[in-house]
Amino acid sequence: MTTKRNIWWLFVSFWTINLVVATSNLRNELIGLLQKHPSAHLEKAIIDEFTIKLQSYAANAKDDDDNDILFAIGSSVFGIDIPKKEKKSSTEKLPIVDFDYMKEFIRQVFLVYGCTEEQAEQSADVLIEADKRGIDSHGLGRLKPIYCDRMDQGILWSNKPIDIVKETETTALVDGNLGLGLYIGPYCMQLAIEKAKKYGVGFVVCQRSTHYGIAGYYATMASEAGCVGLSGTNARPSIAPTFGVEPMLGTNPLCFGIPSDDEFPFVIDCATSVNQRGKIERYAREGSPTPKGCVIDLDGIERTDTDGILKDMVLGKCALTPLGGAGDSMGGYKGYGWATTVELLCTAFQSGPFGDDICGIDRKTGEAKPMPLGHFFLAINIESLCSLQTFEKNTGNLLRALRASHKSPKGPGRIWTAGEPEHDARLKRTAQGGMVVSKPLQQNMIDLRDKHASLKEKYPKFPFE
């Protein structure tokens, strides 16, 4: 109750100091209630009055008022959840661009930045694969802000050598020398697969790498080679520990790939946070609020203001919540534990940095700095234990049983298994002729083209222009 009272006084003080003339009588009445009744959240009559007025205010608010502080007060202090208004769909139809065209553009961009043909081809393949699977947060949307901008800033480099620091028959420690994680990651998983094929198991740890794209790419490499695959990576600090508010751990995905006789493998690729930064960046591109429960700030408030969240995450003023959410009521300690496990596997073998040392920004000067990340890759050769055909059949039988089990009468009428939504997305996007390119992504492509003469020569006009 003390925490709620502190939050309450924080908001009341804010509005007392910063109150401006409002155009809505309802808004003025709501603010008046907050100022007149410091203990409003404890008085049922005032709670009921505030609820009715807030609901009425929400019904008449503009479409872009979803992040109004009054709604945050209603949710955090009074427990009133106001449904978000559906955004009016634009009459302008977004263009669909062929995957081959888009991959070639990405490849050309990496060539312009100094990658070799092999590095550019591999890096482009990792990114376009994310878009094919419907993982828009990690595809074309990351080309400019995550890779090109960082190369421009001098905190990530193209065409760096990959060195093997230490190696045995079944293990290897690899140094990526702060090159593109998009070609370092495939090199490491391929090395793990080769060791597994020869010795049964291959485990590779990488130090001083950079963002390596979707972890599912590497697990799928293993499953397509007849292996069980496992991969994980740490990242700049984003997740707060259970009962904490400071960003300490990366979103740290833990990904498994398991072959099946279905049309698609079982691939579970997800962050160890409720949400991850790439998804919040997508919300920003779409102009959408961040769902409640994904982000917590230093005052313990659950945030939904997407643009503000992205700014404050850079400054370390808010953090993502682990799987299960803040606290332990929904098992947040489990996500916290898994995020910590990935962080340990990515740093302990190679004495790697973590926390502020990989945040990408000097907290004192605000200058960008390198983010030396760690990854791990495990491949288990199935044929070392049983026939691949038997294993795939057993896997498929279990997955089909799950999908055929009794459906909730309140659900969509279908049960999915991991890897299936991505398979569905691939089929749908292939049938429609490629990927939808949003306005912000169009602008990213235009900016990259206009910045480099060779790209401007190759792409004088994009399909959407």
Side-chain angles (χ1 to χ4, degrees):
M1 191 63 69
T2 301
T3 301
K4 275 193 172 183
R5 192 174 184 84
N6 291 336
I7 295 171
W8 170 254
W9 276 111
L10 176 66
F11 284 127
V12 170
S13 299
F14 175 84
W15 283 109
T16 301
I17 296 170
N18 297 286
L19 184 60
V20 296
V21 177
T23 58
S24 166
N25 289 333
L26 273 173
R27 183 181 178 81
N28 287 337
E29 290 176 20
L30 285 163
I31 295 172
L33 276 175
L34 300 182
Q35 294 175 317
K36 190 182 297 184
H37 302 280
S39 301
H41 61 297
L42 302 177
E43 302 175 32
K44 186 177 185 306
I46 304 301
I47 293 174
D48 291 342
E49 183 180 356
F50 188 89
T51 300
I52 293 170
K53 290 182 183 295
L54 186 64
Q55 289 171 340
S56 179
Y57 174 64
N60 294 286
K62 296 179 181 178
D63 289 345
D64 57 357
D65 282 346
D66 282 346
N67 291 326
D68 193 311
I69 192 80
L70 286 172
F71 297 138
I73 296 173
S75 175
S76 300
V77 180
F78 291 90
I80 309 166
D81 288 324
I82 302 295
K84 301 292 184 183
K85 287 188 176 182
E86 291 188 10
K87 301 287 183 181
K88 293 180 180 178
S89 58
S90 172
T91 55
E92 183 180 358
K93 188 175 181 180
L94 292 173
I96 294 175
V97 180
D98 177 79
F99 283 125
D100 290 340
Y101 179 96
M102 197 59 70
K103 179 182 176 182
E104 178 59 18
F105 171 75
I106 297 171
R107 191 181 77 87
Q108 289 294 335
V109 170
F110 283 127
L111 288 174
V112 165
Y113 274 88
C115 288
T116 65
E117 288 281 352
E118 182 181 359
Q119 292 167 345
E121 172 67 25
Q122 179 62 80
S123 298
D125 193 61
V126 176
L127 287 187
I128 204 64
E129 182 63 22
D131 285 313
K132 288 180 179 179
R133 298 185 189 192
I135 310 174
D136 298 332
S137 59
H138 281 62
L140 174 66
R142 294 220 148 178
L143 174 62
K144 183 180 183 297
I146 297 297
Y147 303 104
C148 297
D149 287 357
R150 290 179 183 178
M151 286 188 280
D152 289 336
Q153 292 169 337
I155 62 173
L156 184 161
W157 291 267
S158 63
N159 195 19
K160 282 286 188 175
I162 299 174
D163 299 321
I164 295 181
V165 179
K166 188 174 183 179
E167 186 174 22
T168 69
E169 288 83 357
T170 58
T171 63
L173 173 60
V174 172
D175 191 331
N177 292 299
L178 293 175
L180 273 173
L182 297 172
Y183 69 77
I184 297 169
Y187 173 92
C188 292
M189 180 50 93
Q190 185 58 41
L191 182 59
I193 291 169
E194 290 171 2
K195 290 178 178 296
K197 288 298 182 180
K198 191 172 182 180
Y199 298 104
V201 175
F203 183 64
V204 176
V205 173
C206 182
Q207 66 184 23
R208 300 207 309 149
S209 183
T210 57
H211 194 285
Y212 77 166
I214 54 170
Y217 187 93
Y218 308 105
T220 304
M221 281 180 65
S223 66
E224 290 178 347
C227 295
V228 170
L230 169 65
S231 183
T233 178
N234 66 348
R236 52 186 167 177
S238 301
I239 297 178
T242 298
F243 300 124
V245 294
E246 181 183 357
M248 292 294 296
L249 299 164
T251 47
N252 297 6
L254 184 62
C255 178
F256 287 85
I258 301 175
S260 168
D261 64 357
D262 280 323
E263 295 179 21
F264 49 89
F266 178 90
V267 177
I268 176 70
D269 176 9
C270 53
T272 46
S273 53
V274 172
N275 220 328
Q276 36 84 14
R277 192 186 298 254
K279 188 70 69 65
I280 296 175
E281 290 167 353
R282 196 190 82 190
Y283 295 147
R285 291 195 296 270
E286 296 172 347
S288 302
T290 297
K292 185 180 176 183
C294 298
V295 178
I296 190 170
D297 66 17
L298 296 181
D299 295 314
I301 305 298
E302 294 182 358
R303 298 270 294 275
T304 61
D305 55 315
T306 299
D307 290 336
I309 286 170
L310 289 173
K311 292 175 184 176
D312 283 351
M313 285 185 73
V314 173
L315 300 174
K317 293 183 178 180
C318 64
L320 301 177
T321 55
L323 282 174
D328 61 357
S329 60
M330 294 295 290
Y333 60 89
K334 299 176 183 178
Y336 167 41
W338 282 118
T340 305
T341 300
V342 174
E343 196 83 38
L344 289 170
L345 290 174
C346 290
T347 59
F349 286 112
Q350 40 111 337
S351 301
F354 62 91
D356 272 358
D357 288 336
I358 56 172
C359 73
I361 188 170
D362 187 312
R363 299 291 192 198
K364 294 181 180 178
T365 66
E367 296 294 321
K369 67 177 183 180
M371 289 175 276
L373 303 183
H375 319 308
F376 60 88
F377 307 83
L378 174 68
I380 303 171
N381 184 29
I382 292 168
E383 291 281 0
S384 298
L385 298 167
C386 69
S387 77
L388 179 59
Q389 184 178 13
T390 299
F391 182 95
E392 290 181 335
K393 182 181 178 182
N394 291 340
T395 299
N397 286 342
L398 172 57
L399 298 179
R400 285 185 288 274
L402 292 172
R403 295 195 292 267
S405 63
H406 188 67
K407 280 77 175 173
S408 168
K410 297 182 180 180
R414 179 180 176 185
I415 293 172
W416 287 263
T417 52
E420 190 175 11
E422 292 80 4
H423 177 68
D424 290 348
R426 183 190 299 275
L427 294 178
K428 178 181 177 181
R429 294 185 175 195
T430 300
Q432 74 183 11
M435 58 184 284
V436 174
V437 183
S438 66
K439 285 288 186 181
L441 295 188
Q442 292 175 35
Q443 191 60 53
N444 281 354
M445 292 176 68
I446 291 170
D447 291 344
L448 286 170
R449 177 195 63 187
D450 292 350
K451 184 176 181 178
H452 303 281
S454 60
L455 289 176
K456 201 162 187 176
E457 182 179 346
K458 285 185 174 67
Y459 298 96
K461 186 176 183 180
F462 288 124
F464 47 77
E465 292 183 305

